[in-house]
């Protein structure tokens, strides 16, 4: 799990990070993946490829929330080509 100090630091430092972290903290499915395995806060990286792969069996609404979070993080540039 990522420390609260690191989460708060990133939320204050960057609006894109703040929106992504808010969604991951407050969504019942996404909060399970707010870990160092998928987020590298020190280097400003989210392992979007791995998150998208593991979301394949999720419901459409869960996939939507993940893709929305990734969309916010990437400044509106879609990091993927496949459909939900």
């Amino acid at each position: 799990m990522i420390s609260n100090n690191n989460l708060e630091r990133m939320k204050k430092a960057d609006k894109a990070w703040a929106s992504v972290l808010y969604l991951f903290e407050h969504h019942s499915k996404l909060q399970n993946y707010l870990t160092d395995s998928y987020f590298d806060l020190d280097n400003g990286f989210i392992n979007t490829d791995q998150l998208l792969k593991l979301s394949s069996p999720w419901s459409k609404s869960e996939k939507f929330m993940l893709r929305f979070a990734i969309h916010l993080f990437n400044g509106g540039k879609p990091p993927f080509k496949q459909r939900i």
Side-chain angles (χ1 to χ4, degrees):
M1 192 63 160
I2 300 173
S3 75
N4 284 334
N5 288 341
N6 282 342
L7 291 174
E8 292 305 315
R9 175 179 54 86
M10 288 306 288
K11 284 191 239 178
K12 290 178 183 175
D14 186 277
K15 290 178 185 179
W17 274 106
S19 60
V20 170
L21 295 173
Y22 180 87
L23 288 173
F24 270 81
E25 285 179 302
H26 293 91
H27 187 272
S28 60
K29 176 71 86 172
L30 296 181
Q31 64 189 206
N32 297 318
Y33 302 96
L34 185 55
T35 67
D36 293 326
S37 298
Y38 305 103
F39 287 81
D40 181 352
L41 299 182
D42 292 328
N43 294 306
F45 179 76
I46 300 174
N47 191 338
T48 58
D49 291 339
Q50 192 171 3
L51 285 168
L52 289 168
K53 283 179 189 175
L54 72 86
S55 72
S56 64
W58 295 3
S59 71
K60 287 186 177 185
S61 62
E62 291 166 339
K63 288 179 188 178
F64 173 83
M65 290 304 292
L66 173 61
R67 289 168 182 258
F68 181 56
I70 292 170
H71 172 79
L72 292 172
F73 178 71
N74 286 327
K77 295 178 231 149
F80 43 82
K81 294 180 183 173
Q82 64 268 48
R83 300 179 113 196
I84 294 177

